[in-house]
Amino acid sequence: TDMCLSVKLRVLRESGYYDNNIIPLLGLLNLVAISTLFLEPVDFFQRALLTLNIAFVEIGIRMTTDSHLPNVSYQIKMQTILNEYFCGLLFLVLEGNLVYEMHRAGSTRTIYIDALAAVLTL
């Protein structure tokens, strides 16, 4: 028979660094992306470019944090948050395109769509 040693050890993970430094940074980046909604619809290229640049910064943060996080539930939590933020940014780009096309078609109610997009992204 094989003899086996089983050891159990309680470990307390301190996630304060990521909670206090990374998550607020990502939240601020998303607020900056939402602020691009204040640009005129005809400036769609600038709106999309700024938002996509912010998305690339978030991808860089994700790649850096993923390499430093242990393979436990905290990494999954961080990945979930980053995925939600990234999807929100892509939603803003699509919304900007919709508003641009509506503005070109003569619609004057694009401000309401921008406001709704800002609320949904928050």
Side-chain angles (χ1 to χ4, degrees):
T1 65
D2 291 335
M3 296 183 85
C4 217
L5 175 63
S6 176
V7 177
K8 291 184 179 181
L9 178 63
R10 287 185 155 192
V11 177
L12 177 64
R13 287 179 284 159
E14 181 59 47
S15 63
Y17 175 79
Y18 296 101
D19 292 339
N20 296 328
N21 294 311
I22 304 299
I23 300 298
L25 174 64
L26 294 171
L28 285 174
L29 285 170
N30 275 7
L31 286 176
V32 170
I34 291 170
S35 72
T36 63
L37 296 175
F38 291 107
L39 294 173
E40 291 296 321
V42 294
D43 296 327
F44 167 69
F45 180 77
Q46 285 81 10
R47 288 170 72 163
L49 186 63
L50 285 169
T51 305
L52 289 174
N53 283 335
I54 292 169
F56 289 133
V57 168
E58 287 191 6
I59 289 170
I61 290 171
R62 178 184 181 148
M63 293 176 73
T64 303
T65 56
D66 280 353
S67 67
H68 290 91
L69 288 173
N71 293 327
V72 291
S73 64
Y74 193 75
Q75 183 177 9
I76 294 168
K77 175 186 169 189
M78 179 69 82
Q79 288 173 342
T80 302
I81 292 169
L82 289 168
N83 285 343
E84 290 172 2
Y85 282 166
F86 187 72
C87 288
L89 293 176
L90 295 180
F91 168 73
L92 289 177
V93 173
L94 292 174
E95 182 273 341
N97 190 21
L98 172 70
V99 167
Y100 174 71
E101 293 300 328
M102 288 177 63
H103 181 75
R104 281 184 42 195
S107 177
T108 59
R109 300 190 186 269
T110 56
I111 188 71
Y112 300 115
I113 296 174
D114 282 340
L116 178 63
V119 170
L120 291 175
T121 307
L122 289 174

